[in-house]
Amino acid sequence: MEPSPFPYQGPLEPFQVQGRDEILRDLLQRVEGRRVTALLGPRRYGKTSLLRRLAADLPHMTTVWVDLYEVSSLPDVAVRFDEALGSTTGRFVSMARDLAASLSLNLGLVKIELTGPARGRPDPSLTFRSLLEVLVRTAVRHPTLLVLDEFSSIGRVSGAAGALRTAVQHHYQELGIIFAGSHPSMMRALFSARPQPFYGQADLVEVGPLSAGAVEEMVRQGFASTGRDSGRAGGLIARFTGGHPQRSMQLADACWRHTPPGETCDEHRWSRALTEVRQATSESMERLYSAFERGERAVLRAVARSGSIYGAEAGLLDLSSGTATHARQALLGSGDLMETGSGLAVVDPLLADWLRQRFPV
Ligand SMILES: Nc1ncnc2c1ncn2[C@@H]1O[C@H](COP(=O)(O)OP(=O)(O)OP(=O)(O)O)[C@@H](O)[C@H]1O
Ligand SMILES: [Mg+2]
């Protein structure tokens, strides 16, 4: 079967990233200027894809890519840094290996050592500090971009952010550093709350939705490159998703699958594609929805319907203003709601759609 031009699971390959020219230019300048940056954006807005593209656009730098997704302990954090260093290449990795050996570390094998028999197990916090030393000492001799993806998870591991800051703080001029994360309030707190080790140490940059034009162009190109005509699909998708990158790709993929080569995606095909995506996601939406607290559920419903937590919708749902305000804050903090020019919106357009369909009044 022909591969879809609209992948919607996992990060994109660098060459597939489109519609991000402006933010890419900004990030390139930041890295070149060695300005420490924290990239914030809701889940599935394309942060990892964007940073992969950034790394590909900086071929003279070695990227050390640390994925901190759901780290929960210091050994866990050490293993992620070890894996990141161990998967670099060329002169960087040979330099790092030599340095590691001089500190009695086997790069790439930290996981085995930290999970081995308790008696011979190294101290994880010492191991972590040694790994950071290897990272920094190699990086000052070799142009390096350090990417810390899913950085908000580090907040759960006591001492990890502090150790990292101690290791890198005197090298901001030498290293390009980008933090990325999807939990907006946690990310903000890590860089804007006084007691945090990285307080005031990075500029915050937000990844927004794709523009309607970018979605339309992406859909047009994907169809054209596979011998199809997207018709009005691009515009319909952009209107439905509001530029949410992953949902736009998912709907584009469904439209594309419903359009045979040589044909056009007409209204009928768009509507079949939308029905199919709604059906495929309704169970996970149901599960997602029931995991929210009662007040949050009511706020999501009100916002999906009217873009506000006040007014008739909220009255219908019997929301006290205290509960509503509290739930609104929590949902903004978790990245499930966002503020728009005209009020509030549910970040995931398919969740918003599911809420409107499931609770028609
Ligand atoms: N520039 C883009 N153009 C079109 N689609 C995009 C773009 N960036 C991301 N996507 C879509 O979003 C999906 C998720 O991208 P990615 O994993 O980079 O997002 P993320 O913000 O890192 O997500 P997570 O919060 O899950 O880590 C991709 O599979 C792709 O379908
Ligand atoms: Mg990601």
Side-chain angles (χ1 to χ4, degrees), residues 28 69-70 104 106 108 117 138 177 246 250 261 278 317 358:
L28 277 169
Y69 182 68
E70 297 283 319
S104 312
N106 283 318
T138 312
I177 305 181
Q246 191 261 349
Q250 185 171 13
R278 279 176 171 152
L317 296 169
R358 175 81 171 70

Side-chain angles (χ1 to χ4, degrees), residues 7-8 10 18 43-49 150 218 246 249:
Y8 62 91
Q18 294 174 52
R43 292 296 317 275
R44 309 220 178 119
Y45 253 48
K47 300 173 297 298
T48 302
S49 302
E150 301 287 353
M218 172 191 94
Q246 191 261 349
M249 287 292 247

Side-chain angles (χ1 to χ4, degrees), residues 53 60-61 86 104 128 145 186 265 267 318 320 345 348 355:
R53 170 61 180 269
H60 61 290
M61 296 182 93
S104 312
F128 183 41
L145 169 64
M186 235 183 262
C265 184
E267 302 263 339
D318 194 21
S320 79
D348 183 344
L355 289 162

Side-chain angles (χ1 to χ4, degrees), residues 282-300:
S282 79
E283 213 180 295
S284 64
M285 292 301 159
E286 183 91 52
R287 230 176 302 123
L288 181 67
Y289 178 69
S290 25
F292 286 107
E293 284 174 12
R294 199 186 140 272
E296 293 172 350
R297 293 203 292 260
V299 162
L300 285 166

Side-chain angles (χ1 to χ4, degrees), residues 30-360:
R30 290 174 170 282
V31 174
E32 302 280 13
R34 302 291 186 262
R35 278 179 287 156
V36 183
T37 302
L39 187 66
L40 275 68
R43 292 296 317 275
R44 309 220 178 119
Y45 253 48
K47 300 173 297 298
T48 302
S49 302
L50 185 59
L51 293 178
R52 278 186 168 189
R53 170 61 180 269
L54 177 73
D57 286 355
L58 290 164
H60 61 290
M61 296 182 93
T62 291
T63 300
V64 178
W65 188 290
V66 190
D67 182 356
L68 294 165
Y69 182 68
E70 297 283 319
V71 281
S72 56
S73 66
L74 207 53
D76 214 5
V77 176
V79 168
R80 305 293 176 91
F81 273 79
D82 179 54
E83 285 168 351
L85 285 166
S87 47
T88 53
T89 53
R91 263 166 36 82
F92 187 99
V93 79
S94 45
M95 224 186 276
R97 272 191 210 294
D98 291 349
L99 266 172
S102 74
L103 298 169
S104 312
L105 263 182
N106 283 318
L107 217 55
L109 298 178
V110 163
K111 185 171 186 175
I112 298 173
E113 289 171 2
L114 286 178
T115 51
R119 260 185 347 127
R121 212 179 287 164
D123 171 8
S125 95
L126 259 179
T127 305
F128 183 41
R129 270 183 281 145
S130 301
L131 283 163
L132 289 171
E133 191 178 333
V134 171
L135 167 65
V136 170
R137 281 172 60 190
T138 312
V140 298
R141 289 198 259 150
H142 190 104
T144 302
L145 169 64
L146 173 62
V147 173
L148 296 141
D149 200 5
E150 301 287 353
F151 187 67
S152 32
S153 306
I154 209 168
R156 297 193 207 124
V157 182
S158 158
L164 178 62
R165 156 151 180 194
T166 305
V168 297
Q169 66 174 342
H170 298 300
H171 303 284
Y172 289 153
Q173 302 298 315
E174 291 149 313
L175 269 148
I177 305 181
I178 302 212
F179 301 90
S182 11
H183 197 291
S185 69
M186 235 183 262
M187 281 297 279
R188 281 214 178 79
L190 282 165
F191 298 97
S192 329
R194 239 170 230 283
Q196 292 295 335
F198 283 99
Y199 167 69
Q201 308 248 332
D203 299 339
L204 304 188
V205 171
E206 303 219 11
V207 191
L210 295 169
S211 69
V215 173
E216 287 176 41
E217 181 54 18
M218 172 191 94
V219 174
R220 198 194 59 72
Q221 267 187 29
F223 271 70
S225 68
T226 50
R228 292 160 172 86
D229 184 339
S230 57
R232 291 186 50 225
L236 292 165
I237 292 171
R239 199 171 66 190
F240 184 90
T241 64
H244 185 294
Q246 191 261 349
R247 294 309 193 190
S248 301
M249 287 292 247
Q250 185 171 13
L251 281 162
D253 171 72
C255 288
W256 180 84
R257 279 185 292 96
H258 283 279
T259 310
E263 301 207 16
T264 301
C265 184
D266 55 18
E267 302 263 339
H268 186 60
R269 289 187 168 125
W270 150 255
S271 144
R272 286 207 339 245
L274 180 58
T275 306
E276 185 194 272
V277 171
R278 279 176 171 152
Q279 280 168 357
T281 49
S282 79
E283 213 180 295
S284 64
M285 292 301 159
E286 183 91 52
R287 230 176 302 123
L288 181 67
Y289 178 69
S290 25
F292 286 107
E293 284 174 12
R294 199 186 140 272
E296 293 172 350
R297 293 203 292 260
V299 162
L300 285 166
R301 280 174 63 177
V303 172
R305 198 136 276 290
S306 67
S308 161
I309 59 168
Y310 305 111
E313 284 297 330
L316 269 175
L317 296 169
D318 194 21
L319 266 184
S320 79
S321 80
T323 311
T325 310
H326 183 265
R328 172 187 181 276
Q329 268 329 99
L331 290 166
L332 282 169
S334 60
D336 292 296
L337 282 187
M338 60 185 177
E339 281 172 299
T340 66
S342 55
L344 288 171
V346 176
V347 169
D348 183 344
L350 273 175
L351 175 61
D353 176 70
W354 180 85
L355 289 162
R356 287 189 295 264
Q357 304 261 323
R358 175 81 171 70
F359 306 104

